[in-house]
Amino acid sequence: MEFSTEFDARIGHGDVALAARDVELLRAIDDHGSINAAATALGRSYSRAQQRIVELEGAFGDLVERKRGGSGGGGSRLTDDARSLLSRYDRLRAEFGGVAETAETVLAGRVVEREGELATVETAAGTVRALVPPNGDEVRLTLRADAVTLQSPSRSPDADRTSARNRLQGTVLTIDAGETVALVTVDVGGEVELSALVTTESVERLNLHRGTPVVASFKATATRGVPSA
């Protein structure tokens, strides 16, 4: 898995990550009995679907058992390893969903510039771009933990090279790890604690612990503002 950790319910192995689109393909193969029929049902190219299966199998082992045509016709079915991988993904999604519903960061700030629905907001943690209503300059911004990417400062791309234009530097305060995901709180200054939801594998790969310096990145469109009361 990469050293950045934007959580999107994915299971990484080396340079390959199983994501929702791959799970959809595997389950369609299970439902329709062949890669060709699965690709057709999903409106995808057969050659691209076949290529993706090969990529996934290079990382996770045999996932699809293929049977060539004959008197009974050909087809494909999932292996036991594929079903175990799908079960692991389902557990990841379930744990992720329970945490993501409750974990969010709230930032108070003042609008200093507007550009359509987007605005630049000065907060105690720094300048943040966000979606805000047209009325009022004092706003409260909310950001879900699953929308935050954590990266090592040495690996974090320049702001103009990524769609996640908001970048706040800080240090790890706490790590609350479950079986597959972890809720990480980061001190980003101004007495603000930012929450980020990452995989436990990413915690290990980034060597996250209390005091680890990180860069928290998130998209302006993931940051919502409402007028302060």
Side-chain angles (χ1 to χ4, degrees), residues 13-32:
H13 192 284
D15 294 330
V16 178
L18 178 91
R21 183 177 174 85
D22 302 314
V23 169
E24 186 179 37
L25 175 59
L26 289 174
R27 286 184 168 144
I29 293 171
D30 197 30
D31 290 339
H32 296 280

Side-chain angles (χ1 to χ4, degrees), residues 2-172:
E2 295 179 358
F3 284 90
S4 62
T5 57
E6 184 172 2
F7 190 84
D8 187 26
R10 63 185 68 182
I11 299 174
H13 192 284
D15 294 330
V16 178
L18 178 91
R21 183 177 174 85
D22 302 314
V23 169
E24 186 179 37
L25 175 59
L26 289 174
R27 286 184 168 144
I29 293 171
D30 197 30
D31 290 339
H32 296 280
S34 76
I35 298 175
N36 191 19
T40 299
L42 296 174
R44 302 183 192 177
S45 158
Y46 167 74
S47 61
R48 184 64 190 93
Q50 173 68 28
Q51 179 184 354
R52 185 55 179 166
I53 292 298
V54 172
E55 292 171 353
L56 292 170
E57 290 187 324
F60 298 101
D62 291 339
L63 301 177
V64 178
E65 183 178 320
R66 301 160 181 82
K67 179 181 178 183
R68 296 193 178 278
S71 59
S76 301
R77 69 183 185 88
L78 299 186
T79 65
D80 289 342
D81 285 346
R83 297 185 188 283
S84 295
L85 187 62
L86 291 177
S87 295
R88 182 181 168 194
Y89 181 87
D90 286 340
R91 291 195 300 272
L92 179 66
R93 284 296 303 169
E95 188 173 355
F96 155 70
V99 176
E101 287 178 359
T102 58
E104 66 179 17
T105 301
V106 179
L107 289 167
R110 180 176 180 80
V111 175
V112 295
E113 184 180 347
R114 292 182 182 272
E115 183 181 344
E117 295 179 334
L118 287 174
T120 301
V121 182
E122 290 288 354
T123 76
T127 301
V128 174
R129 293 272 287 169
L131 288 172
V132 300
N135 56 312
D137 291 333
E138 300 295 332
V139 295
R140 290 173 62 83
L141 307 178
T142 58
L143 175 66
R144 281 172 54 115
D146 56 310
V148 178
T149 297
L150 295 184
Q151 298 165 313
S152 167
S154 63
R155 292 178 174 268
S156 178
D158 295 335
D160 58 0
R161 296 179 58 189
T162 174
S163 60
R165 301 296 294 273
N166 289 319
R167 289 155 42 90
L168 299 176
Q169 295 193 20
T171 57
V172 173

